[in-house]
Every structure is written in C-alpha cells, then in structure tokens.
Amino acid sequence: MSKSRQPSRVGELFERFSEPWARARSRMEPEVPQVRRFAHPAVEKDEPRENVAWSLRVAAAWSWRVIVVAVALAIAGWAFSYLTMVFIPILVALLFAVLLDPVNRFLQRKLRFPRSLGAAISLLFGLGVVFGLLSAASTQILAQFGDLAFKVSEGIDRLMAWLSEGPLKLNATAVEQYIDTLSSEITSFLQSNGSQLASGALSVTMSLGNVVTGFLIAMFVLFFFLKDGRRIWLWVVRLLPQAARLPIHESAIRGWITLGAYARTQILVAAIDAIGIGLGAWLLGVPLALPIAVLVFVGSFIPIVGAIVTGAIAVIVALVDQGINVAALMLVVILLVQQIESNLLQPWLMSNAVSLHPVAVLLAVTAGSYLFSIPGALFSVPIVAFVNTSMLYLHGYDKFPQLASDVDRPGGPPGTLDQQVLATYDVNVQRTDPMTSTLDHENVVSEDSGIDLKAGPEAIQPVDLDTADSSQPTADPADN
C-alpha cells in the first residue's frame, strides 16, 4: 500500500516546486506582439487618390511640375536658338543699359536733361568708350603687325635650324621636302575645294552682315531702354494679374540692382586683369601689349574660360617674338594675376554683388557655352545672378532690405506701383467691365495698395514717371 502511494507523493512534490518556476519563466518570456490594422474613416474611401501614400503624392506633384518647367525652358531655348538676331541684341542692350543707367539718371535728374537728350548722350558716351578702346588696340596692331610677321618668319627659320642641328639631327633636305609636299597638298586642296571655300566666304560675309544688323538693333533698343525703360517695364507689369504685380515688380528691382552690381564689379575685375597682364607684357618687351590688354579686358567678361584663352594668346605672342624664356615669364605673370584675381579680388568684390558659388558659375558658363556658344558663355552668369536674387525675394528673403524705404531706387519709390501703372495708360482710357462692356462705377478696393478705385482709374492720382524718384514722399516699408 505504501509502495502504491509513494509515486503520487513524488509527483505532488514535483508539481509543487515546478509551478513557481513555470510562473517565473512565463513572466520572463516576451509576449508575442499583436498587429492589428485600424481602419480610419477619413482614409478608407472609394476615391483612388485618397488611398495613395502622401509621399508618393508629393513626389508626383514635384515630378509633373519639374517636367513642365523643363519643357518650358526647352521651348524657350529652342525659340532663342532660332531668334538669336532678336534676343542677343536685346541682351546686349540690357547689359549696356545697366552700365549706363547711373550716367543716364545723373543727366536726367541732376542736370535736368530731357529724357531723349539724356539717353542720347549716355549712348554716345558708351559708344565712345568702346570705340576708343578698339581704336587704340587696332592702331597698335596695324603698327606692329609687320614686325610680328617678320618675327614669325624668323621663328620658323630657327625651328628648322633646331630640327636639323639640334638633338634630333634631322636631315635638312628631308625636312624641306616635307614642307614642300605639305605646301603643295594645301595648294591642291584649295584648288579642289574652291566652291566650298567660296560658300564659306559668303557665309562669313553674311555673318558680318548679321553682326552689323545686330549692332544696329542693339543700339536702337538701348536708346529706348535708356529713354523709356521704366515705361516699357510697367507695360509688362500691367499685363500681370493684380495680385502678382507688386511681388514681381519688387523682385525685378532686386534683380536689376544685382545685375548692375555684377556688371560694374566685372568691369573692375577685368580692368585689373588687363592692366596687370598688359603691364607685364610691356615690361617684358612683348609686342602688342595694348591689344593684349584690351583682349584680356574683353575676355574677362566670360568667367574662367575667357582668362584661359586670352592668357594663352599672350603667351603665344611672347613665344613667337621673344622666345621660350620670355614666354615662360609671361606665363608666370598671367598665373600670378589670375591667382590674385580668383583668390582675392573675386571673393572680395563679388561676394556683395552676386551670391553665387564658384561651382554654380562654372556650371552656368559650361551649360551656356555648350547650348549657345559665345553668347551663352557671356550672358549665362548675369542671367543666373538675376534669377537667383529675384527668386530669393519671392521666397521671402530680401537681399536688399534698405530698398523698402529708398525713394531714389530704380523702379520708383515704394508704394507707388499702382500710380505708375496708371500713368502708362492714355488719358482717355476708362475702366470697364469686360463682361458687360459698361463702365465699372463700383467701389473697388485694392488690397495691395489700399487705394480706392472709384469710378475707374481717376481715383488714383497718377505720378509723373520722369520725376517719380525725387518727388514722391517716402512710403511705409510695410506697403511692400
């Protein structure tokens, strides 16, 4: 009997001691997570758009907008490539208008010149500076061209002597035969391709005609930019919706000031480059020092690329005229001037004028030159600078906050945009309702300017665009 009851007592003891241990183990083991899906009533809809993830909707919105902008830029570039005879003279006129604007404003506001006379004098002043530099450079080229050609002939003779008597020890007769063969091949090529060369000469003549035509268009447009630049801009502004006029106008003023600062700073940097390299060429006895300086001045308007090309031309002239030693010294002078410009002048002068990183400048020049050749390289950085400053303002970052209270700024005093736009209309123009073709006599209040447009535009007192910068009182910066 005792033997039959003993296994049960052992089992009871085992269960008694194992039960706490089992409870401890159950507490130590992690619970299996229960994943449940909660149906949100605002999300669970039949509309497919409501079931698309927010990140995907944002990506899609960005994608189609980027595609639209890219297509618009492609169409604008395509139109520009086919209408270069129109756009390039306009861009040239804009660049010169920025440079001559201080002179024009001084003549019209300080000396009280009429707008037409002030614009004409400003235009003649700009042409005098440009043609003066070109005349001085061409005179030097014509005076020293014969000596330089003679030096080229001497350099070729020295090269022939070095090939035959130098380390290469080439046979002089074989070298002369090779040169004769090369000259005969060139002559036969010219004779066999006379028609192609004639067509090429005709195309060059047509290109020269296009240059002359473009120059005349640029000068014509420049005169009216100086005379009626603000009226032309206000005509563009009044084509915009009422709500977009003030932001676009203010952003364009900032872009215009940035463009002027860039142009003036680039002129200063180009002048320093030209003086440094021209003075170095003159001290080394390199001929055509003044034309080289003028070429460096013009080439410096194309960032990075222009300095390399013009510097290479200066080294080649020194090599032809003075030999390899002087050419090496000329290269040292060019590198020294370029280092001073890129590491000292450009960061110091351009930091306040244009807020563009050097990588952005390099990419802009590369893309512009690839798409539109020399005009693209010349105008790419100014356009990028203008767009950068304008877009910063439209996004709420004003690079020139002092313009909010400057009555003498370009574009007219703050708070007078509506009056300036009204002044561009003819005196006989009446405001009408296009839906009913009747005069609008209702009281319309402009939220941007706080001006009551009662019975058409006569409630707004138009300003004189010729004296608006000096005659209007200072407006509250909050109006902008």
Side-chain angles (χ1 to χ4, degrees), residues 11 20 29 53 80 87 121 129-130 146 159 176 204 217 225 238 252 264 273 288 294 299 353 366 407-408 414 453:
E29 292 179 355
F80 182 86
F87 288 116
I121 294 177
V129 173
V130 173
L159 178 62
E176 291 179 357
V204 170
I217 294 175
F225 278 171
R238 77 186 194 187
R264 290 187 292 270
D273 285 348
L288 305 177
V294 174
T366 304
V407 296
D408 197 32
L453 306 179

Side-chain angles (χ1 to χ4, degrees), residues 249-296:
H249 178 68
E250 294 293 331
S251 65
I253 292 175
R254 273 74 176 173
W256 179 263
I257 292 177
T258 300
L259 192 60
Y262 167 81
R264 290 187 292 270
T265 305
Q266 192 63 38
I267 286 178
L268 179 59
V269 173
I272 294 174
D273 285 348
I275 292 173
I277 295 176
L279 185 61
W282 179 73
L283 292 176
L284 293 174
V286 178
L288 305 177
L290 182 60
I292 288 175
V294 174
L295 188 63
V296 170

Side-chain angles (χ1 to χ4, degrees), residues 268-437:
L268 179 59
V269 173
I272 294 174
D273 285 348
I275 292 173
I277 295 176
L279 185 61
W282 179 73
L283 292 176
L284 293 174
V286 178
L288 305 177
L290 182 60
I292 288 175
V294 174
L295 188 63
V296 170
F297 178 79
V298 176
S300 297
F301 282 91
I302 302 177
I304 303 172
V305 179
I308 297 175
V309 174
T310 54
I313 293 175
V315 172
I316 291 173
V317 173
L319 177 64
V320 170
D321 184 76
Q322 301 290 340
I324 190 170
N325 294 328
V326 178
L329 293 176
M330 189 72 236
L331 179 60
V332 170
V333 170
I334 293 173
L335 292 177
L336 180 62
V337 172
Q338 293 298 326
Q339 288 299 316
I340 293 175
E341 177 220 328
S342 59
N343 296 323
L344 180 62
L345 294 178
Q346 285 280 6
W348 179 43
L349 296 175
M350 283 292 183
S351 59
N352 294 325
V354 181
S355 300
L356 293 178
H357 195 274
V359 174
V361 174
L362 178 61
L363 294 179
V365 173
T366 304
S369 59
Y370 175 76
L371 294 175
F372 305 109
S373 187
I374 295 178
L378 181 62
F379 295 109
S380 58
V381 176
I383 291 175
V384 171
F386 181 92
V387 173
N388 178 56
T389 304
S390 301
M391 294 303 294
L392 279 176
Y393 179 82
L394 292 177
H395 283 82
Y397 299 94
D398 192 357
K399 188 180 177 182
F400 305 99
Q402 69 276 9
L403 293 178
S405 58
D406 186 6
V407 296
D408 197 32
R409 66 177 188 172
T416 61
L417 177 60
D418 289 324
Q419 291 92 333
Q420 293 185 69
V421 172
L422 181 61
T424 61
Y425 289 99
D426 188 82
V427 293
N428 296 322
V429 173
Q430 296 290 329
R431 182 170 179 173
T432 62
D433 185 359
M435 301 301 296
T436 60
S437 299

Side-chain angles (χ1 to χ4, degrees), residues 132-147:
L133 291 175
L134 294 178
S135 176
S138 61
T139 302
Q140 291 289 325
I141 292 174
L142 293 176
Q144 301 183 24
F145 182 78
D147 295 338

Side-chain angles (χ1 to χ4, degrees), residues 112-341:
R112 300 298 180 181
F113 280 24
R115 287 187 294 115
S116 299
L117 182 59
I121 294 177
S122 302
L123 177 60
L124 293 177
F125 173 76
L127 290 177
V129 173
V130 173
F131 281 107
L133 291 175
L134 294 178
S135 176
S138 61
T139 302
Q140 291 289 325
I141 292 174
L142 293 176
Q144 301 183 24
F145 182 78
D147 295 338
L148 188 62
F150 180 73
K151 291 294 181 65
V152 171
S153 178
E154 285 186 349
I156 294 175
D157 294 338
R158 287 198 300 267
L159 178 62
M160 295 293 299
W162 182 79
L163 289 175
S164 59
E165 300 174 1
L168 298 179
K169 299 296 183 180
L170 297 179
N171 189 354
T173 305
V175 174
E176 291 179 357
Q177 290 178 354
Y178 176 77
I179 292 177
D180 293 338
T181 303
L182 182 62
S183 61
S184 62
E185 289 180 356
I186 292 174
T187 303
S188 62
F189 174 79
L190 294 176
Q191 292 176 354
S192 60
N193 296 275
S195 59
Q196 289 83 353
L197 293 176
S199 62
L202 180 60
S203 64
V204 170
T205 304
M206 294 178 63
S207 299
L208 292 176
N210 293 336
V211 169
V212 174
T213 304
F215 173 77
L216 295 177
I217 294 175
M219 293 302 101
F220 182 81
V221 174
L222 175 59
F223 172 77
F224 283 100
F225 278 171
L226 295 173
K227 178 179 177 292
D228 297 322
R230 183 179 300 180
R231 295 176 182 272
I232 296 173
W233 167 245
L234 292 174
W235 176 82
V236 175
V237 170
R238 77 186 194 187
L239 297 177
L240 302 174
Q242 181 69 31
R245 289 180 180 180
L246 186 60
I248 296 298
H249 178 68
E250 294 293 331
S251 65
I253 292 175
R254 273 74 176 173
W256 179 263
I257 292 177
T258 300
L259 192 60
Y262 167 81
R264 290 187 292 270
T265 305
Q266 192 63 38
I267 286 178
L268 179 59
V269 173
I272 294 174
D273 285 348
I275 292 173
I277 295 176
L279 185 61
W282 179 73
L283 292 176
L284 293 174
V286 178
L288 305 177
L290 182 60
I292 288 175
V294 174
L295 188 63
V296 170
F297 178 79
V298 176
S300 297
F301 282 91
I302 302 177
I304 303 172
V305 179
I308 297 175
V309 174
T310 54
I313 293 175
V315 172
I316 291 173
V317 173
L319 177 64
V320 170
D321 184 76
Q322 301 290 340
I324 190 170
N325 294 328
V326 178
L329 293 176
M330 189 72 236
L331 179 60
V332 170
V333 170
I334 293 173
L335 292 177
L336 180 62
V337 172
Q338 293 298 326
Q339 288 299 316
I340 293 175
E341 177 220 328

